[in-house]
Amino acid sequence: MELNRTAIAAAVAATVLANVANATQDEIQALKQQLEQQQAQLDALTDALESNRNSGSDGWWADTSFGGYAELHYNNINSQQSSKDTVELDLHRFVLFFGHRFNDKVSFFSELEVEHTVAGEGKNGEVEVEQAFIKYQYADNHSAKAGVFLVPVGILNEVHEPDTFYGVERNNVEKNIIPTTWWEGGVMASGEMFTGVSYDASVSSGLYLDAADGDFKVRDGRQKASEANATDMAYTARIVWNGMPGVQVGFTGQYNTDLLQGDVVGSVKDVDALLLETHVDLRKGPIGLRALYATWDIDSALDDIAAGASEQTGWYVEPSYKFSEKVGVFARYSQWDNQAADDDVDSNYEQMDVGINYWLVDTVALKADVQKTNEPGNTKEGFNLGIGWSF
Amino acid sequence: MKFFKLILVTYLLCWAGPGLPEQVYHTKDSFLAMAFPGGQPNTGVVWLTSQRKLDAEELLGHSPSELRIRYWSLNGRSAWILDKIGKEQPITIGVIVEDAKVEGVEILVYRESRGGEVRHDFFKKQFEGAQLIDNIDLDRNIDGISGATLSVNAVTNVTKWALYLHKQILE
């Protein structure tokens, strides 16, 4: 009798336990299904939320880009001839970039610049459109541009955002010999021929020296695509080797068919000119080195405007060292001469710069440097402070 | 003579043959096939919590607008496909990570007007084996490409961000 009771109790307990186990399994299954449904709902909600967040980027503005850069300079330069002292503060450049991508092949890019803050009659500044071109990507790694573009020459002419170079002011060789910033209107083909070897070839407006007014320096010949005299064009070709990290070697040649654009000044006419430029730009680990040589071989007729002007030459070498991502120091020795064809003319400039860049972030740089310049009949010494940024 | 020069240049501009659509170097599928030659990867997401968005500002240079980042993984290896603007347009970059080290970096789509050299092996190889130190820096210097600084920075930052995200899925 006792045994029967035990057996009945065990059977009841087993039945209860089995029912409990079944109930737990059912609950777990139900919970699992609920969890899956909730996960699906969460995914759907997140998809919808992300879709809504991105819906504002569906318009034309999604393919329109905007950027810019600016640089503020303080110069304190004392000169042997005190009339040439410079103590000034200047928002040297304020630049806005606008670009638009029409489709995968066709895009637009522009650079609008205000120099020295205020432009207008009797003011120091200028408003300039330095770039405005349509780019057509006609094959993989090959494209053509039409419009106003920067001449493919040197290190700074195309990449001159202030956070990308040392020194408060741009170097004087690229300014006076190349002459940076230099833009022309025309057409240009660019691309990559082999791994790390790229080319550019352009036909564009050329330089125009107002020789009747005594202009002879190539920098004075920039027409800035402003109703530019296009009687005689310029032809430019560049090859750049970027075949290993941190190393760039570039060569540019430009032929101007006539720097006078058909003008005849006395017996001076048909002044053709050939620019040859080469540079290296090295950055291996913390060590950097920039070196550039540029020379103009101009028809000797220009010597009748200014003695020795048929050769205009300059070079610089700029070693640098980065202590960290934030801090780098540099030294630069430069030499340039816009009347180099005549040794009897005292026209040679040389300049030494030593300074430091401190990058607050990648594209915001505080700069300081000291400089000494020996120029014809004068010596200048002083320091420069600056801040430059781009975005 | 000038007329003939113009004709010659026009001819050269047109000579390069039929146009191709855009600079797509890998599709998502070809990149994943390269990342996981041994099998089909699982997919997952990393939710971008406020802390991770803060960390992104340091590593990536900006806080992503997404709520989550998708990834693919198999046997401890993960693959990430991430966009980052160099100067104007997003570059689509693929990063493969295993054992908290970079196995490989690939450029899937390049849209910038300058700096496409970052797609070359001589540049990408610098990242192989790279690790994240103190959740902020790579354990090595990456030599740049002159004139392509912004694209180089974009690839470097995305690589750091992918290493960080890989750590998040292990935690």
Side-chain angles (χ1 to χ4, degrees), chain A residues 55-105:
Chain A
S55 62
S57 62
D58 287 344
W60 58 267
W61 52 88
D63 290 317
T64 300
S65 60
F66 171 70
Y69 73 86
E71 49 190 327
L72 178 73
H73 299 165
Y74 172 75
N75 310 109
N76 191 323
I77 309 294
N78 294 312
S79 183
Q80 265 183 343
Q81 301 172 16
S82 57
S83 61
K84 292 187 175 180
D85 283 356
T86 304
V87 182
E88 65 181 27
L89 192 145
D90 183 29
L91 184 66
H92 196 144
R93 298 179 180 90
F94 180 85
V95 176
L96 296 175
F97 299 126
F98 291 98
H100 185 70
R101 192 178 174 84
F102 298 99
N103 60 32
D104 289 340
K105 292 181 183 177

Side-chain angles (χ1 to χ4, degrees), chain A residues 46-47 50 53 65 101 104 135 137-138 140-141 161 189 192 203 232 242-243 245-246 248 281 284-285, chain B residues 2 9 13 16 19 21-23 25 47 65 67-68 87-88 111 113 117 119-120 122 126 141 143-144 146:
Chain A
T46 311
D47 285 344
E50 286 183 337
R53 288 162 72 98
S65 60
R101 192 178 174 84
D104 289 340
K135 179 180 174 185
Q137 187 90 26
Y138 60 80
D140 259 5
N141 305 321
E161 285 84 340
E192 194 168 343
V203 180
D232 292 280
N242 260 327
Q248 182 188 81
D281 185 2
K284 300 296 284 181
Chain B
K2 284 174 200 163
V9 170
L13 288 173
E22 65 175 358
Q23 310 287 311
Y25 299 109
W47 287 89
S65 60
L67 300 174
R68 59 202 169 155
K87 183 171 184 179
E88 298 171 71
R111 304 177 184 88
S113 58
E117 293 90 347
R119 76 184 187 280
H120 289 312
F122 69 75
Q126 296 182 95
N141 176 72
D143 285 325
S146 184

Side-chain angles (χ1 to χ4, degrees), chain A residues 8 39 51 53 60 64 72 74 82 85 98 140 153 184 190 207 225 256 280 285 312 334 356 369 373:
Chain A
I8 289 166
Q39 184 60 51
S51 171
R53 288 162 72 98
W60 58 267
T64 300
L72 178 73
Y74 172 75
S82 57
D85 283 356
F98 291 98
D140 259 5
V153 59
E184 299 287 359
S190 303
L207 298 171
N256 277 255
V280 294
Q312 305 191 26
S334 316
I356 185 168
D369 59 63
T373 309

